[in-house]
Amino acid sequence: MTKKISKLRPRAITPKGFRDYFGAEVVRRDAMLRQVADIYFRYGFEPLESSAIETVDALGKFLPDTDQPNAGIFCWHENNDWLALRYDLTAPLARVYAQYQNHLPTPYRRYSMGPVWRNEKPGIGRYRQFYQCDADTVGSASMASDAEICAMLADALEGVGIPKGEYQVKLNNRKILNGVLACAGLSEQAQRDHVLRTIDKFDKVGVDGVMQLLTSGRLDESGAYIEGVGLRQSQAEAIIAFLTSGECNPDQILDELRTIIGTSEVGQEGIDELKKITELLDIQGYGPDQIRIDTTVVRGLGYYTGPVYEAELTFDITDERGRQRQFGSVAGGGRYDNLVQRFTGQRIPATGVSLGVDRLLTALDIKSRRNSDIDGPVLVTVMDRERMQDYQKMAVELRNNGVRAEVYLGNPKSFGNQLKYADRRNAPVAIIEGADEKLRGIIQIKDLVLGKEIAKTATVGEWRQRPAQFEVPRNELVNSVKKILEQGI
Amino acid sequence: MTKKISKLRPRAITPKGFRDYFGAEVVRRDAMLRQVADIYFRYGFEPLESSAIETVDALGKFLPDTDQPNAGIFCWHENNDWLALRYDLTAPLARVYAQYQNHLPTPYRRYSMGPVWRNEKPGIGRYRQFYQCDADTVGSASMASDAEICAMLADALEGVGIPKGEYQVKLNNRKILNGVLACAGLSEQAQRDHVLRTIDKFDKVGVDGVMQLLTSGRLDESGAYIEGVGLRQSQAEAIIAFLTSGECNPDQILDELRTIIGTSEVGQEGIDELKKITELLDIQGYGPDQIRIDTTVVRGLGYYTGPVYEAELTFDITDERGRQRQFGSVAGGGRYDNLVQRFTGQRIPATGVSLGVDRLLTALDIKSRRNSDIDGPVLVTVMDRERMQDYQKMAVELRNNGVRAEVYLGNPKSFGNQLKYADRRNAPVAIIEGADEKLRGIIQIKDLVLGKEIAKTATVGEWRQRPAQFEVPRNELVNSVKKILEQGI
């Protein structure tokens, strides 16, 4: 019988691939996104919060008349429409721009931050709902737009706490890549794509690896044989020359590229565009230590049409296998021209960047090694449940002086439970006022952070100068607590 | 043929009942929610951001085996689960608490802010996606929790800009209502609910109206006849006596209520609870001008089990029909005990409040009559497209000094288009530097806000002291712009 009842109870569980975010996780993400938003706003970008639900038709890419109507997205049939949750922030931007074209300023520069949903197989650290943070300029063909996005990206990274020298915005142009491929005599699209995907591996496999992959093939670390693109040695060398164009100043790189590209018109156009961008960045004071040309940047195929950029964090981390490596990419973007066209038939130039919110949060975690435990509230314990007013008054005093504080609201019978609660909340300080203290006009202040430290160390001696619990007159509550919070450990 | 192609194009449109939020709308809501979050956080509440998607099973209330599986919610079948978008923030809280009970502190005090989705008929100002902002304490039976929520609600209203005297948190207790109904000899649930729904109309129809509705019925303003509950005169009088318990100090009201309630045990219990709450609020310095007992507050039926509260804004507005009336309710909540029980079988006490985000934003709009036009960026116009660097440098200087600024990135050929763009962006200032200005080392500063004012007034005379466009040396760019922004109109 009991079993039958319990069977009727729903399971308290998030659907597969979804999760909840608690306390410090929410605070930290909000703080980071706010810092980014402030910078984007100061550049004159407008926030846009589009509807989370779109028609499948407007989202494009995924259409309900394929075998699997919901491949990649969450969608359902509603009256006569197929509705779906947005899977990114760019498709909704295209829809918004097409819908409000006559009301929006041109160019339309906007940023968007919010969850997107993917109906994909979840994995470790891969969820089916996650945050994106995009900034795009729609309706401007000017290279100044691309330069602006790169500058803004550098500012955003510094703004959230990645100092100069620990990140790098890398800049390339798909037209140059196309020029190089043309020079090498590659005209077939499938072969070009294969070459581009190979170039994209440059960071991992280096010059020799790419050389092998472009020609006959390569034996992988794992022992697997990766088939080559099948280029002739001379073709592959031209591409390698391009990929290894020096790390010197932009003008030299651009000159070198001009020689490599030769007569390819599209290639020269790409170099001109890159030149304009680097000139604009230079005058704004962005040096190659912040933003520099990197000919190995490729980005997604069949999407970008001109400048492409990628932000990498360059500080070292230890990976799962215990090896030192750079943290890697946290943002990417570029120029794309055919997103709005789907709706209006007009080719509208656009360029934009997307920040990897979770990646960047992880990076900030590693960098700061911050102890998120310090965020807990001061806990006013309840020694006498008839004097709730006295305790509430203390919390009010603390809060009015800017200190996060609360009164214990559970059953106060067990003081042990109150301290256990304080521990779970990461409370830095507990206040105690029993009948005896009340009579004497004092309160006990328990420094919980120090208490934990003392508990960790073998000898108490070194802490003798600073006891983890002490008494002060009641009217010194606020000052004493503030002093503890300020001094930390 | 053209027609055929255009037919293939998707329509750029939000699904019915959904909308996008642009610029100032997003900024203002974010700012308000941040102010509220800061206050909730200072009280020791933790943020929680639960998954937007839940199993239909976990959401409860709506079950897929009814005739219409998606009545009220957006849901779809996914592998073996029915998934749905959350329709509020309380159902997910119950699921989270049941799922993480052993990891969360008890009591668990959390706030949540975010969109919820309702599959309901949209109407004017009624969308199928909207924001909620909730704070709840789960696992505390103490009246101090309810007092805390009321205090926090008052603080939040003042925090976002509703001054003391222009809002009122009204407090009641369902147990007292139940006591009154018991005293009046009403035992049948349907009849009790009918009486409660009638009491809820007190604000609208007053003493006489409620008297009529409780007894024989009432002729509506519109001429429609509303059937009465059918109580005897003496029963109705007891209820009216309760509803009109004086507006004097809490102790007097409570004494008066004790007399009315008589021997009803549940009623007396309700009065005791109310007394504890008002005592706690009194000691924390909240007067009846902020939070007071109001016996006419009912709130949702079949949900609340003890204290209920509601926040009303008391300043006058002019409604659609041109009549003066109070702005009305912007928040409500109370104590509920059976939400977590669905999952665990345990009865867990809980109390909480929900802010009406859109209502409160509307109220702030009315109160401040704020001109959101002032948010636009300073626009650096492009007079010579070869000197993009010069213009970018100006924008950088402005931004580095905290001024929101941008360079025009559209086609600069038509200066008129640039000014039209400035107008759409609500730019307060435009900067102009043509070849002549460059040569003379000066820039033109166009005060666009003042320009608009001058255009509105008939005589230019009164503005003679302050021209809408003037020139300054190039190196005075930042100071001159800041001066204009500070002085306003």
Side-chain angles (χ1 to χ4, degrees):
Chain A
M1 186 63 193
T2 331
K3 203 164 178 197
K4 206 172 170 192
I5 287 174
S6 87
K7 262 205 162 169
L8 287 173
R9 282 192 202 133
R11 284 183 68 202
I13 196 154
T14 27
K16 207 180 156 204
F18 292 90
R19 56 164 292 198
D20 306 301
Y21 294 83
F22 294 90
E25 292 177 307
V26 180
V27 170
R28 285 173 46 240
R29 185 180 54 209
D30 280 358
M32 187 184 87
L33 291 179
R34 196 181 306 167
Q35 286 165 323
V36 173
D38 284 348
I39 289 161
Y40 289 1
F41 188 79
R42 211 185 325 138
Y43 268 83
F45 282 65
E46 292 278 309
L48 165 68
E49 190 172 314
S50 67
S51 162
I53 297 178
E54 299 271 352
T55 64
V56 167
D57 203 26
L59 282 184
K61 200 174 170 184
F62 306 95
L63 290 164
D65 53 0
T66 60
D67 289 356
Q68 239 192 311
N70 51 356
I73 55 169
F74 291 103
C75 67
W76 62 93
H77 202 246
E78 196 72 52
N79 297 325
N80 292 318
D81 277 328
W82 277 94
L83 300 183
L85 288 167
R86 64 183 179 203
Y87 59 85
D88 75 359
L89 300 173
T90 316
L93 169 63
R95 192 265 305 152
V96 166
Y97 188 81
Q99 184 170 351
Y100 299 99
Q101 203 163 8
N102 297 327
H103 304 279
L104 291 173
T106 301
Y108 178 53
R109 293 148 75 247
R110 81 88 182 83
Y111 61 90
S112 281
M113 303 171 163
V116 300
W117 293 266
R118 300 262 171 99
N119 195 353
E120 290 167 351
K121 220 181 132 149
I124 296 168
R126 248 172 79 103
Y127 295 96
R128 307 211 282 179
Q129 172 180 331
F130 56 92
Y131 265 71
Q132 287 202 333
C133 170
D134 287 17
D136 294 83
T137 295
V138 182
S140 166
S142 168
M143 285 303 119
S145 304
D146 300 271
E148 180 177 72
I149 298 265
C150 289
M152 203 164 77
L153 177 55
D155 284 9
L157 292 174
E158 292 182 25
V160 301
I162 310 286
K164 221 173 274 190
E166 302 209 340
Y167 72 89
Q168 188 95 69
V169 177
K170 296 161 152 195
L171 193 59
N172 198 10
N173 193 311
R174 287 297 287 271
K175 290 181 181 169
I176 307 184
L177 284 167
N178 289 336
V180 170
L181 300 184
C183 285
L186 302 174
S187 55
E188 199 207 328
Q189 194 56 46
Q191 200 182 31
R192 283 183 166 212
D193 286 353
H194 196 173
V195 171
L196 289 176
R197 278 195 301 273
T198 304
I199 292 177
D200 210 23
K201 291 182 187 149
F202 187 85
D203 271 357
K204 272 193 210 136
V205 301
V207 172
D208 293 345
V210 168
M211 192 69 200
Q212 290 166 350
L213 286 171
L214 286 177
T215 51
S216 54
R218 180 171 184 265
L219 207 61
D220 204 352
E221 261 184 3
S222 65
Y225 185 77
I226 314 291
E227 215 173 323
V229 183
L231 299 192
R232 288 190 311 273
Q233 189 72 13
S234 62
Q235 289 177 310
E237 273 166 9
I239 291 166
I240 295 286
F242 166 72
L243 292 180
T244 53
S245 331
E247 297 219 359
C248 33
N249 79 52
D251 287 341
Q252 282 173 294
I253 299 178
L254 289 168
D255 283 347
E256 203 175 315
L257 286 178
R258 273 197 207 286
T259 321
I260 297 170
I261 293 293
T263 55
S264 159
E265 220 169 280
V266 64
Q268 294 294 351
E269 198 179 303
I271 292 172
D272 289 342
E273 290 182 358
L274 214 47
K275 189 175 163 64
K276 269 190 198 145
I277 296 176
T278 51
E279 279 172 357
L280 279 167
L281 289 170
D282 181 55
I283 200 92
Q284 290 173 59
Y286 294 90
D289 57 328
Q290 292 164 292
I291 309 173
R292 67 172 175 82
I293 295 171
D294 184 322
T295 48
T296 66
V297 171
V298 175
R299 307 294 308 163
L301 304 178
Y303 189 78
Y304 295 113
T305 55
V308 283
Y309 26 86
E310 192 165 274
E312 282 196 1
L313 303 190
T314 54
F315 58 82
D316 279 348
I317 55 161
T318 311
D319 71 7
E320 319 77 60
R321 299 196 210 165
R323 291 177 307 196
Q324 291 290 101
R325 61 170 185 81
Q326 292 200 341
F327 186 87
S329 177
V330 291
R335 181 165 280 278
Y336 52 95
D337 292 325
N338 32 24
L339 238 92
V340 181
Q341 200 174 11
R342 286 185 58 235
F343 295 102
T344 62
Q346 288 172 277
R347 212 173 144 85
I348 308 272
T351 189
V353 69
S354 186
L355 268 181
V357 175
D358 291 322
R359 289 273 300 156
L360 195 49
L361 274 171
T362 305
L364 292 176
D365 257 0
I366 293 172
K367 273 221 65 63
S368 65
R369 297 181 202 295
R370 196 166 63 131
N371 190 350
S372 62
D373 297 1
I374 50 166
D375 287 318
V378 169
L379 183 72
V380 180
T381 60
V382 175
M383 302 304 285
D384 175 356
R385 70 166 79 209
E386 295 308 311
R387 288 197 297 107
M388 206 52 159
Q389 295 95 321
D390 291 349
Y391 304 127
Q392 288 289 358
K393 237 183 142 177
M394 292 189 213
V396 171
E397 271 175 46
L398 287 166
R399 287 198 286 260
N400 287 346
N401 285 280
V403 176
R404 190 181 188 206
E406 66 178 65
V407 176
Y408 181 70
L409 291 178
N411 187 336
K413 220 166 56 187
S414 148
F415 189 65
N417 276 351
Q418 299 198 42
L419 288 186
K420 214 177 284 168
Y421 174 84
D423 191 50
R424 282 220 170 152
R425 293 301 311 280
N426 295 313
V429 173
I431 311 294
I432 304 160
E433 191 203 49
D436 174 55
E437 282 87 2
K438 174 78 178 173
L439 216 65
R440 292 167 51 215
I442 58 125
I443 50 174
Q444 301 280 346
I445 294 192
K446 211 174 165 63
D447 183 337
L448 299 171
V449 182
L450 183 59
K452 271 184 209 166
E453 281 304 312
I454 292 177
K456 264 190 253 167
T457 57
T459 68
V460 180
E462 53 177 309
W463 299 105
R464 206 164 278 163
Q465 295 306 308
R466 204 180 134 195
Q469 183 169 334
F470 55 93
E471 54 180 62
V472 298
R474 167 66 181 81
N475 61 13
E476 280 174 26
L477 165 70
V478 172
N479 284 339
S480 307
V481 169
K482 278 193 140 178
K483 221 159 103 186
I484 293 181
L485 295 181
E486 277 155 21
Q487 82 192 28
I489 273 292
Chain B
M1 185 65 192
T2 332
K3 203 164 177 197
K4 206 173 172 191
I5 287 175
S6 89
K7 262 206 161 170
L8 286 173
R9 283 193 201 132
R11 282 183 70 203
I13 197 154
T14 27
K16 206 179 155 206
F18 292 89
R19 56 164 293 198
D20 307 301
Y21 294 83
F22 294 91
E25 292 176 307
V26 180
V27 170
R28 284 173 47 239
R29 184 179 55 209
D30 281 358
M32 187 185 87
L33 290 179
R34 196 181 307 168
Q35 285 165 324
V36 173
D38 284 349
I39 288 161
Y40 290 0
F41 188 79
R42 210 185 325 137
Y43 268 84
F45 282 63
E46 292 278 309
L48 166 68
E49 189 172 315
S50 68
S51 162
I53 297 179
E54 298 271 353
T55 63
V56 167
D57 203 27
L59 282 184
K61 200 174 169 184
F62 306 94
L63 291 163
D65 53 0
T66 60
D67 289 356
Q68 239 193 312
N70 50 358
I73 54 168
F74 290 104
C75 68
W76 61 94
H77 203 248
E78 196 73 52
N79 297 326
N80 292 317
D81 278 329
W82 276 94
L83 300 183
L85 287 168
R86 63 183 180 205
Y87 59 85
D88 74 0
L89 300 172
T90 316
L93 169 63
R95 192 264 305 152
V96 165
Y97 188 81
Q99 183 170 353
Y100 299 99
Q101 202 164 9
N102 297 326
H103 304 279
L104 291 173
T106 301
Y108 178 52
R109 293 148 76 246
R110 80 88 181 83
Y111 62 88
S112 282
M113 304 171 162
V116 300
W117 293 266
R118 299 263 171 98
N119 195 352
E120 289 167 351
K121 220 181 132 143
I124 295 167
R126 249 173 79 103
Y127 295 96
R128 308 211 281 179
Q129 172 180 332
F130 56 92
Y131 265 71
Q132 287 202 332
C133 169
D134 286 18
D136 294 83
T137 295
V138 183
S140 167
S142 167
M143 285 302 118
S145 303
D146 300 270
E148 180 177 71
I149 298 265
C150 289
M152 203 163 76
L153 177 55
D155 284 9
L157 293 175
E158 292 183 26
V160 301
I162 310 287
K164 222 173 273 189
E166 303 209 339
Y167 72 89
Q168 188 94 68
V169 177
K170 297 162 151 194
L171 194 57
N172 198 10
N173 193 312
R174 289 295 287 269
K175 290 180 182 170
I176 307 183
L177 284 167
N178 289 337
V180 171
L181 300 185
C183 284
L186 301 174
S187 54
E188 199 207 328
Q189 194 56 45
Q191 202 181 30
R192 283 183 166 212
D193 286 352
H194 196 172
V195 171
L196 289 176
R197 279 195 300 273
T198 305
I199 293 176
D200 210 23
K201 292 182 187 147
F202 187 85
D203 271 358
K204 271 192 212 138
V205 301
V207 172
D208 293 346
V210 168
M211 192 69 200
Q212 290 167 349
L213 286 170
L214 286 176
T215 51
S216 54
R218 179 171 185 268
L219 209 60
D220 204 351
E221 262 185 4
S222 64
Y225 185 76
I226 314 290
E227 215 173 321
V229 183
L231 299 191
R232 290 190 310 273
Q233 189 70 14
S234 61
Q235 289 177 310
E237 273 165 8
I239 291 166
I240 295 286
F242 166 73
L243 292 180
T244 52
S245 328
E247 297 218 359
C248 33
N249 78 53
D251 287 341
Q252 283 172 294
I253 299 177
L254 290 168
D255 283 347
E256 203 174 317
L257 286 177
R258 273 195 207 287
T259 321
I260 297 169
I261 292 294
T263 56
S264 160
E265 220 168 281
V266 65
Q268 295 293 350
E269 200 178 302
I271 293 172
D272 289 343
E273 290 182 357
L274 214 47
K275 190 175 163 65
K276 269 189 198 147
I277 295 175
T278 51
E279 279 172 358
L280 279 166
L281 289 170
D282 181 55
I283 199 91
Q284 290 174 59
Y286 294 89
D289 56 328
Q290 292 164 291
I291 309 173
R292 67 172 176 81
I293 296 170
D294 184 321
T295 48
T296 65
V297 172
V298 175
R299 308 291 310 161
L301 304 178
Y303 189 79
Y304 294 113
T305 55
V308 283
Y309 26 87
E310 192 166 273
E312 281 196 1
L313 304 190
T314 53
F315 57 82
D316 279 347
I317 54 161
T318 311
D319 71 8
E320 320 76 62
R321 299 198 210 163
R323 291 176 307 196
Q324 291 291 101
R325 61 169 184 85
Q326 292 200 339
F327 186 86
S329 177
V330 291
R335 180 164 282 278
Y336 54 94
D337 291 324
N338 33 23
L339 239 92
V340 180
Q341 201 174 10
R342 286 184 57 236
F343 295 102
T344 62
Q346 287 172 277
R347 211 173 145 85
I348 307 271
T351 188
V353 68
S354 187
L355 268 181
V357 176
D358 291 322
R359 289 274 299 156
L360 194 50
L361 274 172
T362 305
L364 292 177
D365 257 0
I366 293 171
K367 274 221 62 64
S368 65
R369 299 183 199 293
R370 196 167 63 134
N371 190 350
S372 62
D373 298 2
I374 50 165
D375 287 319
V378 168
L379 183 71
V380 180
T381 60
V382 175
M383 303 304 285
D384 175 357
R385 70 166 79 209
E386 295 308 312
R387 287 197 298 107
M388 207 50 160
Q389 293 96 320
D390 290 349
Y391 304 126
Q392 288 289 357
K393 238 183 140 176
M394 292 189 213
V396 171
E397 272 175 45
L398 288 166
R399 287 199 286 259
N400 287 347
N401 284 282
V403 176
R404 191 182 187 205
E406 66 178 66
V407 176
Y408 181 70
L409 291 178
N411 187 336
K413 220 166 55 185
S414 146
F415 189 65
N417 276 351
Q418 299 197 43
L419 287 186
K420 214 178 282 167
Y421 174 84
D423 191 49
R424 282 221 169 153
R425 293 300 311 279
N426 295 314
V429 173
I431 310 296
I432 304 160
E433 192 204 50
D436 174 56
E437 283 87 3
K438 174 79 177 171
L439 214 65
R440 290 168 52 215
I442 59 127
I443 49 175
Q444 301 281 346
I445 295 192
K446 211 173 165 64
D447 183 336
L448 299 171
V449 182
L450 183 60
K452 272 184 207 166
E453 280 305 311
I454 292 177
K456 264 190 254 167
T457 57
T459 68
V460 181
E462 54 177 309
W463 298 104
R464 207 164 279 164
Q465 295 308 308
R466 204 180 135 194
Q469 182 169 336
F470 56 94
E471 55 180 61
V472 298
R474 167 66 180 81
N475 61 12
E476 280 175 27
L477 165 71
V478 171
N479 284 338
S480 307
V481 169
K482 278 192 140 178
K483 222 159 102 185
I484 292 181
L485 294 181
E486 277 155 21
Q487 82 193 28
I489 273 292

